[in-house]
Amino acid sequence: MILGLNHITIAVSDLARSLEFYIDVLGFKGHVKWQHGAYLSIGDLWFCLSIDTPSTRTDYSHIAFDIAKADFDNFKTRIAEHNIPLWKNNKSEGDSLYFLDPDGHQLEVHVGSLKTRLQALKLRPYNNLEWL
């Protein structure tokens, strides 16, 4: 049976540019790179950059990363200083910043957890919300 999330792989068009973004701007740890990709990590998450033709989306699909409340404002400032485009305004519980990587992948940093989201839904449920 499935145990949990193993890794995330995204297509990137320029490995050097993506390494700079994920390591220097977002603070990921670099492990190895090769002709067609690289392995990084953030916390316990294994993250792979793979050279390919990115196919960006316009739907709500995105990758969200944890951030501590104490670090949120500094991170938001860092994103602005690097002129990184935003793709959505936060309308949900907790502080969130929705931004794009160099290939247009939709990313988010979020202060909170599933537990805090579920607590918020008890106070302000979504339309037609059903508890499972």
Side-chain angles (χ1 to χ4, degrees):
M1 298 311 268
I2 294 175
L3 300 174
L5 186 62
N6 185 275
H7 69 277
I8 294 173
T9 299
I10 62 169
V12 299
S13 60
D14 182 325
L15 185 60
R17 179 183 68 175
S18 292
L19 285 169
E20 179 181 340
F21 177 79
Y22 282 95
I23 293 172
D24 297 340
V25 177
L26 298 189
F28 281 53
K29 179 179 181 184
H31 295 282
V32 297
K33 70 175 183 173
W34 61 97
Q35 184 177 2
H36 297 288
Y39 290 145
L40 314 173
S41 65
I42 192 77
D44 291 331
L45 177 64
W46 167 17
F47 201 78
C48 176
L49 305 176
S50 181
I51 301 235
D52 201 346
T53 303
S55 177
T56 58
R57 306 190 55 112
T58 57
D59 65 16
Y60 189 61
S61 298
H62 64 282
I63 301 169
F65 302 104
D66 281 332
I67 192 166
K69 176 93 173 139
D71 296 329
F72 183 78
D73 289 336
N74 286 337
F75 183 85
K76 190 173 180 179
T77 299
R78 181 183 193 120
I79 293 297
E81 288 172 350
H82 284 86
N83 297 313
I84 296 169
L86 304 180
W87 64 275
K88 181 182 183 311
N89 291 319
N90 185 32
K91 295 179 182 161
S92 62
E93 151 284 327
D95 290 327
S96 283
L97 184 67
Y98 299 86
F99 58 98
L100 298 174
D101 84 349
D103 286 297
H105 295 290
Q106 297 176 161
L107 306 176
E108 173 190 3
V109 292
H110 179 71
V111 176
S113 65
L114 177 59
K115 182 179 178 179
T116 60
R117 179 63 52 90
L118 294 176
Q119 288 171 341
L121 288 175
K122 289 179 182 177
L123 299 174
R124 289 180 307 176
Y126 300 150
N127 289 337
N128 300 318
L129 180 77
E130 277 185 51
W131 293 92
L132 303 176

